[in-house]
Amino acid sequence: MDGIPYDLIIAHAEVVTAADRFRADIGIRDGKIAALGHDLGPATRTVDATGLLALPGGVDAHCHLDQPQEVGRMADDFESGSRSAACGGTTTLIPFAAQARGQSLRAAVEDYHRRAAGKSCLDYAFHLIVTDPTPAVLDEELPELIRAGYTSFKVYMTYDDLKLNDRQILDVLSVARDHGALVMVHAENADCISWLTDRLVAQGRTEPRYHAVSRPSAVEREATHRAITFSELVDVPILIVHVSGAEAIEQIRWAHGRGLRIYAETCPQYLYLTAQDLDLEGYEGAKLVCSPPPRDPDNQEAVWRALSGNVFSIFSSDHAPYRYDDAEGKKPGGHTCHFQHIPNGIPGLETRMPLLFSGGVGGGRISIHQFVDLTATQPAKLYGLYPRKGSIVVGGDADIALWDPALRVTIRNADLHHDVDYTPYEGMAVTGWPVMTFSRGRLVSRHREFLGSAGAGEFMPCGTPMQHA
Ligand code: URP
Ligand code: ZN
Ligand code: ZN
C-alpha cells in the first residue's frame, strides 16, 4: 500500500442487496470491497454515486458462449459475450462446457478453457453438460471435476445430440447427491416433440412458427414432473432451467408443497415474448426460435406471479447467440429451412437485467431486493460462488453496477455489444439501466460504452452449491 488506503471509493451510494438498503461509501482495495461506511478517507480515485443505486453486479448463470455445435456456430465468444454482459450490469458469467458423445468430460473442460482464456473481460465459471454418462464419466471424471470446482451440470431431456434417457439422468443425479453438485434439467419430452414435429412436417407446416406448436406446454409439464420425480427418488435437489409458463410452474409449486427441494429458473423471453412473435413476415420468426418456446400473455402473467411469489430462485438470459442472416446461424447453409432445423436460441446477455428491472421493479411486481436476489445473490449461492460474488459485502469482489433507476432506454440492436445481428427486444422501451459497471473494482462500462479489456476476467472454481452446504 502506498499510504492511500483505497484504490477507489464509490461515494454517496444507495447500496441495495438482497436483504438491505442503506446509504454508504464503498471503499475498494485490490479488487475487493474493503469497507462500507462514511468518510473513509483518501482514495486514488473517487466516483460520486449521488442519485444512483449501487447493486451487486449480475451473475448470469445460464448463457452459451462459443459452445461447439454439430451444425452452425454461435456468434458470441467470451470476448463479445462478456463485453455485452458488462454493458448490461452483469459481472459474472457461468456458461457451459459441453461434452460431445464419445468425448471425455475432462477434454471438454480443457477445450472450453482454451476458448475462454485471454478473452473474457468478466470473471467466469463453467457448468458441465453431460451427454455421455459412461461408467468412467460417472465414477471417475465427474467426482474429480466436482472436487476441482465444476460443481453444477446440465442434463437434457430433449435434443437428439444431447438428451439422456431416464436411467442415465438418475445415474447423474446420484453422482450429484454423493459428491455435492447441482444438476440443472432441460425439461421437455423428446419423443412427444419428435412425434408432433413429424406430423406437422407431413402436413407441410414447416414455417418457424410451428416450432412453438411442436413444443406445447404439455411436453414441458410432463418432463418437469418427471424430473421432479427423479429428484425425489434420488433425494437430491435439482434446478429446472428456462421455465416458460403456468403448467411447469404448477408442477414446481406442487413439488414445493411436498417439501421437495426443486429450484427453478426463468428468463426474459418468457416475460416479454409470445409464440405469436414467431409468426413474423417471411422467415423472420426464426429469430425467436428457442426452447422451450415463448407462450402467450396468460403464461407471461403466470411467470410474473411466480417471480413475485418466490417460486423462481434465479433469472438468467439463456443467451444462445446465432446470427439471423448467416449460413452458420439461423439460415443453415445460407438458406431458410424447416422449423426443426433452425438453431435454437436467442441473445439476451445485455438486456437481461434492464428488462427485469423495468418490468419487475419499475412495474411494481417484485421488490428491488428480489431483483438483486434473482439476478445476482441466489445464482452465486446456488452455484457455489457466494460470498465472493453476488452481494455487496466486505471481503467480496468489488463487482458493482451503479444504476440510474430513471434512465429511459429504447433497446436497439445497434447499441448492444454482442456479435448478433438482431435483438428480440428491438424498439422496446425500458426504464433503468446501469450507468457504470465495475468488475473487481475496474470500470468495465460507462454510459453503455465498453471500457473493459479482453482477458481481464478470471476463471473461478465453484464451491459446493449452497443447498448442499
Ligand atoms: O433454445 C435454447 N434455449 N437454446 C439454448 C440451449 C438450451 O437448451 O438452453
Ligand atoms: Zn436448455
Ligand atoms: Zn441454455
Side-chain angles (χ1 to χ4, degrees):
M1 217 193 299
D2 54 9
I4 300 178
Y6 301 107
D7 304 321
L8 170 67
I9 288 178
I10 299 175
H12 317 301
E14 179 85 5
V15 178
V16 184
T17 69
D20 298 306
R21 182 172 186 144
F22 53 92
R23 183 71 53 112
D25 296 347
I26 307 171
I28 294 162
R29 191 167 50 234
D30 298 331
K32 301 262 180 209
I33 297 173
L36 292 168
H38 298 281
D39 305 321
L40 295 179
T44 307
R45 186 169 172 223
T46 298
V47 167
D48 183 3
T50 304
L52 302 175
L53 301 173
L55 307 188
V59 177
D60 196 334
H62 186 159
C63 53
H64 304 265
L65 296 175
D66 201 11
Q67 189 179 310
Q69 305 297 300
E70 273 203 334
V71 184
R73 193 179 61 85
M74 288 195 169
D76 282 315
D77 62 8
F78 278 79
E79 187 168 345
S80 59
S82 62
R83 179 178 73 206
S84 183
C87 294
T90 288
T91 50
T92 298
L93 300 175
I94 319 184
F96 297 87
Q99 178 194 29
R101 294 227 172 95
Q103 187 187 32
S104 90
L105 261 180
R106 175 61 75 184
V109 167
E110 283 165 8
D111 171 50
Y112 214 53
H113 271 290
R114 280 191 292 273
R115 291 168 188 269
K119 290 206 156 185
S120 185
C121 78
L122 301 176
D123 293 343
Y124 56 94
F126 298 156
H127 307 292
L128 310 174
I129 291 176
V130 181
T131 62
D132 200 0
T134 59
V137 165
L138 293 169
D139 300 339
E140 293 158 34
E141 287 203 304
L142 273 176
E144 269 173 33
L145 286 165
I146 293 167
R147 280 194 293 279
Y150 307 88
T151 57
S152 48
F153 14 102
K154 183 171 176 187
V155 296
Y156 284 80
M157 300 171 90
T158 186
Y159 296 135
D160 286 344
D161 54 333
L162 301 173
K163 71 178 184 217
L164 302 188
N165 65 36
D166 293 355
R167 192 185 172 106
Q168 290 173 316
I169 295 174
L170 288 165
D171 282 340
V172 172
L173 289 179
S174 174
V175 173
R177 182 183 195 279
D178 292 348
H179 297 275
L182 180 60
V183 178
M184 311 155 77
V185 182
H186 180 129
E188 288 184 296
N189 181 313
D191 283 336
C192 291
I193 293 167
S194 90
W195 185 79
L196 288 166
T197 299
D198 288 350
R199 281 168 62 104
L200 288 164
V201 172
Q203 292 160 0
R205 297 181 167 155
T206 56
E207 293 80 19
R209 73 187 174 96
Y210 290 106
H211 170 78
V213 183
S214 73
R215 309 176 95 100
S217 291
V219 309
E220 185 187 6
R221 179 194 69 215
E222 185 282 328
T224 301
H225 186 89
R226 191 155 31 105
I228 290 168
T229 306
F230 298 162
S231 157
E232 184 176 5
L233 280 177
V234 179
D235 187 24
V236 67
I238 56 168
L239 188 142
I240 312 279
V241 290
H242 45 50
V243 172
S244 74
E247 297 206 22
I249 290 168
E250 202 178 7
Q251 298 305 310
I252 294 159
R253 286 191 201 274
W254 173 84
H256 290 170
R258 288 168 67 88
L260 300 174
R261 289 168 300 162
I262 303 297
Y263 299 93
E265 168 201 83
T266 193
C267 315
Q269 47 271 37
Y270 306 117
L271 297 174
Y272 287 97
L273 305 176
T274 68
Q276 198 80 47
D277 295 318
L278 275 73
D279 195 11
L280 294 177
E281 193 59 29
Y283 185 69
E284 293 261 323
K287 291 178 176 173
L288 288 310
V289 164
C290 64
S291 295
R295 308 282 180 201
D296 63 16
D298 287 347
N299 279 288
Q300 291 180 334
E301 193 48 42
V303 175
W304 277 118
R305 275 200 306 273
L307 278 168
S308 81
N310 297 322
V311 174
F312 291 111
S313 298
I314 66 177
F315 188 78
S316 310
S317 66
D318 193 8
H319 182 84
Y322 296 97
R323 292 172 65 85
Y324 172 65
D325 215 354
D326 194 326
E328 292 187 305
K330 296 282 186 180
K331 294 182 181 168
H335 309 289
T336 62
C337 64
H338 291 179
F339 71 84
Q340 77 273 32
H341 303 303
I342 300 171
N344 281 205
I346 59 172
L349 277 170
E350 192 164 342
T351 44
R352 170 185 77 117
M353 296 184 69
L355 284 168
L356 185 64
F357 188 91
S358 185
V361 181
R365 294 165 184 273
I366 57 172
S367 73
I368 195 160
H369 304 291
Q370 285 176 300
F371 172 78
V372 171
D373 214 18
L374 285 159
T375 57
T377 312
Q378 291 209 66
K381 285 182 173 172
L382 279 172
Y383 296 121
L385 294 173
Y386 186 85
R388 175 172 174 188
K389 301 295 187 188
S391 192
I392 293 182
V393 59
V394 172
D397 282 355
D399 287 5
I400 296 163
L402 298 180
W403 284 70
D404 178 347
L407 186 65
R408 284 188 65 74
V409 172
T410 299
I411 297 173
R412 302 271 178 225
N413 197 55
D415 300 327
L416 301 179
H417 298 78
H418 56 200
D419 271 345
V420 186
D421 55 356
Y422 73 96
T423 168
Y425 310 106
E426 186 73 35
M428 222 173 256
V430 293
T431 304
W433 203 287
V435 291
M436 285 190 222
T437 303
F438 298 88
S439 162
R440 277 189 279 113
R442 289 171 284 111
L443 187 62
V444 289
S445 109
R446 186 167 188 277
H447 295 300
R448 306 188 66 197
E449 185 192 345
F450 178 64
L451 298 174
S453 26
E458 285 176 2
F459 171 73
M460 299 172 294
C462 292
T464 304
M466 201 158 244
Q467 86 283 355
H468 281 283

